Amino acid sequence: MIKRDVVMPIELIQEIAQIVHKENYFVLKEAFPSIEMQGPIFLSQEEAEALINLAVIEKKKAQLRYPYYDDEHPSYDENHENSFDDIQMGIYEKTIFYVESSFKKNSFNHLL
């Protein structure tokens, strides 16, 4: 199985590692063996897809937690928007960016 080096900021690596261990995502435990890891990250195609799925799940959880994030929603709440944006522009977009930087661009579109 071929693995690719995925370069990510340490803060993102540790955030992902915490989720992997909290949620017991077995498929990602080899890539993220410790919640205090610093890197490097080596991912197979299967692990890369699992990591993209993790990012998508975190975004969907944010949509459920902060449903009034859209300023066009009648019950718009600025706190919801800020909290949702932290996830959207944080773990979601960054994870996709860094994984796609090491794998073929747009090869994960079917997961988004």
Side-chain angles (χ1 to χ4, degrees):
M1 165 178 20
I2 297 172
K3 293 195 174 202
R4 296 178 189 229
D5 184 13
V6 178
V7 178
M8 296 180 173
I10 292 170
E11 299 81 28
L12 181 60
I13 291 170
Q14 291 178 344
E15 180 179 4
I16 292 168
Q18 288 177 1
I19 295 167
V20 166
H21 288 271
K22 178 183 175 210
E23 300 294 338
N24 200 26
Y25 292 149
F26 187 78
V27 70
L28 291 169
K29 281 195 173 177
E30 184 178 320
F32 297 89
S34 165
I35 61 172
E36 297 170 4
M37 65 181 294
Q38 305 282 315
I41 305 300
F42 296 96
L43 299 175
S44 66
Q45 180 72 30
E46 177 187 19
E47 291 166 328
E49 288 181 7
L51 186 52
I52 297 294
N53 282 333
L54 179 150
V56 169
I57 289 167
E58 290 303 308
K59 180 182 174 184
K60 295 209 178 278
K61 285 170 33 178
Q63 289 172 326
L64 294 171
R65 285 187 188 122
Y66 314 110
Y68 309 125
Y69 66 91
D70 187 346
D71 61 4
E72 294 183 13
H73 192 283
S75 298
Y76 169 74
D77 182 326
E78 186 176 349
N79 292 325
H80 279 223
E81 179 183 27
N82 292 335
S83 296
F84 178 80
D85 285 349
D86 284 346
I87 302 297
Q88 168 77 16
M89 293 184 287
I91 191 168
Y92 179 76
E93 290 181 359
K94 288 179 182 177
T95 299
I96 293 168
F97 171 79
Y98 289 112
V99 171
E100 281 192 338
S101 294
S102 296
F103 288 82
K104 186 177 176 186
K105 184 127 177 96
N106 299 323
S107 63
F108 303 104
N109 285 353
H110 65 288
L111 301 172
L112 304 178

